Amino acid sequence: MGSSWFLMWILLLGLLGTRVYGLGVNWGTQATHKLPPKTVVQMLKDNGVQKVKLFDSDRTTMSALAGSGIEVMVAIPNDQLAAMNDYKRAQDFVKRNVSIYNFNGGVNIKYVAVGNEPFLTSYNGTFVNLTFPALQNIQNALNEADLGDSIKATVPLNADIYNSPDDQPYPSAGRFRTDISDVMTQIVQFLNKNNAPFTVNIYPFLSLYGNDNFPINYAFFDGASQPIVDKATGIQYTNVFDANFDTLVSALKAVGFGQMPIIVGEVGWPTDGDKSATIDYAYRFYNGLLPRLASNRGTPLRPGFIEVYLFGLLDEDAKSIAPGNFERHWGIFRYDGQPKFALDFTGQGQNKLPVGAQNVQYQPSKWCMFNPNAKDLSKLADNINYACTFSDCTALGYGSSCNVLDANGNASYAFNMYFQVQNQDPMACNFQGLAMVTSQNLSQGTCNFMIQIASAASLVRSLLLSLAFVTVLTLFML
């Protein structure tokens, strides 16, 4: 019996060594119709997700996470960084958004994200002088509230904060961007002083996006045919994730903190909105990334465990598309919490569809389509533009899932998206006589004409209509 138990224990240790521990996901909520937070939390639990990174500290979200045991990173949006330069405001933030949940059965907060990629070059330095003081104030406020030992402030930063010089384009030559080198050194020193991690967002997809000359296999984990060799170390890099991560390791080493803990705050692959944003590519990416994480191989310059938050959990139809149409399609799950493709969160390659959101309420099976009997088409373009301004038409773009539609199909798609956003209000399917409501599902091929989630308002309206019908029916029977 003793030897049998010993063998079982050894087997168990072997299995445990090949699982992705502490895998996190990003839960964004920039959607016109949001799933109930409790539904999302249950979905996280059903899929064994142990950590979640938020982009704010919304009360309804936090209340839903209470008692779940899920580890949480709350966030301070960039537009609040200036306010956090006032220490009293920082204290108030910690009191209202962190301390209040610090009780038995509360929210398991581990990190406070101070800003979100505040040093992006596209921001033209707007947040450069605001981020470090905000970071200091938040961590000091956490320390003052006796939470600093268990909750750390960090700054999720985009990978564009570091690079390698043109004459040494390899990871070992990585340095922080010259325009932010001083403030990055201060941030790193402060993080180290408080035993807080460095957080970076890495997107292999963006290396491929808009660059037809980028070697596509290098964006994935199944082996590039021609590895890139770091001439200073002789290390061969077969994927851009490892090369990017090690460029950061070198940048940290250059300022004296080469062993600082690093969290990958965002990494993932979008599924629509660009020719390279496809479900097949997303499947390929995650089925390379997750086994890599489970193996605890790390990267050449940082072997071992890497803490990672996948980006993201759900599609968000109200996100800005300034970076590209793909921004609204990062979810592993669709807008309604249903899975897009098979994967294994444990990284063991036992792929199956993740558990989707349960008991989702949808609007009725009605669509808005182009009216084939419309006579005056002179204002068709203006009406399509209007519909797409106030809804999500990114699937119509080049290389996207609905790029195969004809002109009438494009109009129908745009009209339907607006109709669904407006909770199927009949007045939202007119467009100066160019549209009409139909009970026929207009979806074709890869193009899905969605039925939107029922909002709280539409559910109340449906309930009232049902009650009114029952009342009329009762009176009739009397």
Side-chain angles (χ1 to χ4, degrees), residues 451-471:
I451 294 291
Q452 187 54 270
I453 298 169
S455 67
S458 62
L459 285 173
V460 170
R461 185 169 67 248
S462 296
L463 178 61
L464 290 174
L465 288 172
S466 297
L467 290 173
F469 175 76
V470 171
T471 301

Side-chain angles (χ1 to χ4, degrees), residues 52-54 71-75 110-113 154 156 199 263 309:
V52 66
K53 177 170 167 281
L54 307 175
E71 191 176 281
V72 179
M73 181 187 296
V74 298
K110 185 171 183 181
Y111 301 112
V112 177
T154 184
T199 304
I263 292 174
Y309 292 81

Side-chain angles (χ1 to χ4, degrees), residues 284-306:
R284 179 182 176 187
F285 181 79
Y286 283 113
N287 280 278
L289 173 67
L290 293 173
R292 274 290 304 274
L293 296 176
S295 72
N296 286 326
R297 281 173 50 191
T299 66
L301 296 185
R302 183 68 70 84
F305 170 76
I306 301 176

Side-chain angles (χ1 to χ4, degrees), residues 28-85:
T29 57
Q30 295 186 57
T32 58
H33 292 64
K34 301 178 180 66
L35 286 169
K38 287 187 178 296
T39 299
V40 178
V41 171
Q42 186 60 51
M43 185 171 66
L44 294 171
K45 294 170 68 175
D46 288 343
N47 288 287
V49 176
Q50 302 169 7
K51 303 182 181 185
V52 66
K53 177 170 167 281
L54 307 175
F55 293 89
D56 52 30
S57 53
D58 178 77
R59 284 292 172 90
T60 57
T61 302
M62 298 297 284
S63 296
L65 285 162
S68 68
I70 295 172
E71 191 176 281
V72 179
M73 181 187 296
V74 298
I76 301 170
N78 289 339
D79 61 7
Q80 295 181 26
L81 291 177
M84 295 304 110
N85 277 232

Side-chain angles (χ1 to χ4, degrees), residues 170-173 229-237 246 250 253 300-301:
Y170 31 83
S172 63
V229 180
D230 188 321
K231 294 181 180 179
T233 62
I235 295 172
Q236 294 187 350
Y237 287 93
D246 280 1
S250 297
K253 183 178 179 181
L301 296 185

Side-chain angles (χ1 to χ4, degrees), residues 170-474:
Y170 31 83
S172 63
R175 298 294 184 271
F176 288 118
R177 237 171 48 212
T178 54
D179 61 309
I180 56 170
S181 179
D182 290 343
V183 68
M184 282 307 308
T185 300
Q186 292 176 308
I187 286 174
V188 170
Q189 290 172 339
F190 185 79
L191 292 173
N192 181 73
K193 176 183 176 182
N194 286 278
N195 297 313
F198 191 101
T199 304
V200 64
N201 302 337
I202 298 177
Y203 285 109
F205 167 79
L206 293 180
S207 297
L208 186 62
Y209 174 66
N211 183 0
D212 291 335
N213 295 320
F214 187 84
I216 188 168
N217 290 335
Y218 197 57
F220 301 96
F221 294 89
D222 43 14
S225 56
Q226 295 182 324
I228 294 177
V229 180
D230 188 321
K231 294 181 180 179
T233 62
I235 295 172
Q236 294 187 350
Y237 287 93
T238 59
N239 66 83
V240 70
F241 178 89
D242 285 358
N244 195 309
F245 191 98
D246 280 1
T247 303
L248 170 60
V249 172
S250 297
L252 289 168
K253 183 178 179 181
V255 296
F257 297 93
Q259 298 304 313
M260 170 166 281
I262 298 172
I263 292 174
V264 177
E266 299 178 16
V267 62
W269 200 279
T271 58
D272 209 347
D274 181 71
K275 63 180 182 179
S276 298
T278 68
I279 287 178
D280 286 345
Y281 278 164
Y283 178 87
R284 179 182 176 187
F285 181 79
Y286 283 113
N287 280 278
L289 173 67
L290 293 173
R292 274 290 304 274
L293 296 176
S295 72
N296 286 326
R297 281 173 50 191
T299 66
L301 296 185
R302 183 68 70 84
F305 170 76
I306 301 176
E307 183 173 352
V308 169
Y309 292 81
L310 305 180
F311 190 88
L313 183 63
L314 299 161
D315 282 352
E316 300 172 76
D317 67 340
K319 282 193 72 176
S320 168
I321 57 172
N325 286 342
F326 55 83
E327 277 297 325
R328 295 175 176 171
H329 304 279
W330 285 103
I332 293 171
F333 296 85
R334 302 190 314 169
Y335 70 101
D336 56 356
Q338 303 312 306
K340 298 178 181 177
F341 50 85
L343 78 167
D344 181 359
F345 286 111
T346 70
Q348 298 179 78
Q350 299 175 3
N351 293 327
K352 60 182 179 179
L353 285 176
V355 180
Q358 303 298 306
N359 303 314
V360 178
Q361 299 295 312
Y362 296 89
Q363 295 177 33
S365 296
K366 293 189 295 185
W367 293 263
C368 183
M369 63 176 286
F370 171 72
N371 184 353
N373 297 318
K375 303 299 183 184
D376 183 5
L377 304 183
S378 62
K379 295 183 179 179
L380 181 59
D382 288 342
N383 279 278
I384 292 175
N385 183 62
Y386 180 87
C388 291
T389 298
F390 296 101
S391 65
D392 177 27
C393 294
T394 54
L396 293 174
Y398 173 71
S400 301
S401 61
C402 295
N403 188 222
V404 296
L405 300 178
D406 61 18
N408 289 352
N410 287 338
S412 292
Y413 187 88
F415 292 160
N416 183 64
M417 292 301 284
Y418 181 80
F419 180 61
Q420 302 297 335
V421 166
Q422 298 299 320
N423 297 315
Q424 297 187 352
D425 184 340
M427 296 300 293
C429 186
N430 183 282
F431 295 99
Q432 298 179 293
L434 294 168
M436 57 182 283
V437 176
T438 179
S439 59
Q440 177 185 355
N441 189 340
L442 304 172
S443 301
Q444 53 179 287
T446 61
C447 184
N448 176 43
F449 279 64
M450 65 154 53
I451 294 291
Q452 187 54 270
I453 298 169
S455 67
S458 62
L459 285 173
V460 170
R461 185 169 67 248
S462 296
L463 178 61
L464 290 174
L465 288 172
S466 297
L467 290 173
F469 175 76
V470 171
T471 301
V472 170
L473 183 61
T474 303

